Amino acid sequence: MAERILIVEDEPEFAGLLELWIGRAGYEPVVAPTGNDALRRFYETHPDLVILDVALPGLDGWQVTERIREFSRVPIILVTARSSEADKIRGLKLGADDYITKPLSFPELVARVEAALRRASTPTPDRPRRLQHRDLVIDLDDHRARLKGEDVRLTPTEFRLLAYLVEHAGQLVAHRQVLAAVWGSGYDADVHLLRMTIRNLRLKLEAIAPGGSYIATEYGLGYRLTGPG
Ligand code: CA
């Protein structure tokens, strides 16, 4: 069954092109022209991924991301006309999985959609189904992470990143290594994306275990999963 992709874009011509490319890549596109329509279509069609323009009439892309994140971990790729770092940071802070800047390359967008769906899919069964590091438990079968027995609500990308860190607990994992393993090839240089996702992950862990500092930064090199104290 083809994965359903919700495309939120108010410019009809551009929306048509996105629909064409997504359809051609083998997915089922659903198009919404405004933020309000996007939420309505989201409830109706339960998409597997959302491609979301930031500049929309009415509810903008930031607000739509916030609303969707209240109840869903579906991958969100933000499309922004602005290339400013501040916009990217804002999107990732709100829980988007990835962003792409206009004018965009459609093949690149399709590659990012594929990568995001792969991150959201269930892991291969030859891996251990449960990972544990101190009071952090990763259940690979139902995509759940628990810290001190409490559910950590993660996006698919955050989940994969945490699972990867737990798998390599205590080891230094280099930026490129994590990017290739979690995001896939073509992301090796996207250190900014990694940094923001680590930041979100830390916030979520700290919300449950304040001061627990699980993820240590090895400056200029990468990260290391440590325990508290
Ligand atoms: Ca727009």
Side-chain angles (χ1 to χ4, degrees):
M1 203 173 64
E3 280 117 329
R4 193 171 290 145
I5 313 281
L6 177 60
I7 297 165
V8 190
E9 173 57 63
D10 60 314
E11 293 155 51
E13 205 175 316
F14 190 59
L17 281 171
L18 285 169
E19 189 178 10
L20 190 72
W21 273 86
I22 287 302
R24 215 183 257 170
Y27 302 112
E28 184 194 329
V30 174
V31 179
T34 70
N36 293 307
D37 284 329
L39 292 173
R40 189 172 53 78
R41 297 294 279 155
F42 191 95
Y43 299 127
E44 285 169 4
T45 65
H46 306 288
D48 298 291
L49 182 143
V50 182
I51 298 172
L52 180 60
D53 185 28
V54 169
L56 293 167
L59 282 181
D60 64 20
W62 313 123
Q63 291 167 307
V64 173
T65 302
E66 266 185 311
R67 298 282 179 90
I68 290 177
R69 277 290 170 264
E70 282 168 14
F71 61 89
S72 169
R73 307 173 190 191
V74 70
I76 299 174
I77 300 178
L78 287 176
V79 179
T80 166
R82 300 161 249 185
S83 60
S84 92
E85 289 295 282
D87 276 354
K88 292 174 185 174
I89 291 172
R90 184 172 176 194
L92 295 169
K93 267 186 189 168
L94 291 173
D97 286 88
D98 202 355
Y99 51 78
I100 189 162
T101 309
K102 280 185 193 171
L104 58 81
S105 135
F106 289 100
E108 192 195 340
L109 177 68
V110 169
R112 284 180 178 245
V113 165
E114 278 167 11
L117 287 171
R118 202 169 46 237
R119 290 196 294 275
S121 71
T122 41
T124 48
D126 59 326
R127 295 170 71 196
R129 306 208 165 262
R130 203 178 136 108
L131 300 168
Q132 185 157 11
H133 174 69
R134 303 204 176 179
D135 43 11
L136 194 55
V137 178
I138 308 290
D139 190 326
L140 295 167
D141 286 330
D142 31 303
H143 261 223
R144 283 174 75 187
R146 271 178 293 266
L147 176 58
K148 297 181 186 294
E150 216 176 301
D151 252 324
V152 193
R153 290 173 55 92
L154 302 173
T155 68
T157 305
E158 289 163 359
F159 179 83
R160 282 181 65 106
L161 176 58
L162 185 60
Y164 187 82
L165 290 172
V166 170
E167 250 180 317
H168 297 83
Q171 302 169 23
L172 164 68
V173 290
H175 294 139
R176 280 173 181 276
Q177 181 190 344
V178 189
L179 282 161
V182 175
W183 276 267
S185 57
Y187 284 85
D188 328 25
D190 234 327
V191 176
H192 192 71
L193 189 62
L194 172 61
R195 201 171 286 148
M196 289 313 302
T197 313
I198 288 276
R199 177 195 170 277
N200 289 346
L201 201 47
R202 278 184 176 138
L203 287 174
K204 289 181 180 182
L205 296 177
E206 274 165 23
I208 294 172
S213 59
Y214 285 82
I215 305 166
T217 301
E218 302 276 347
Y219 290 99
L221 299 172
Y223 299 96
R224 191 193 301 271
L225 191 70
T226 61

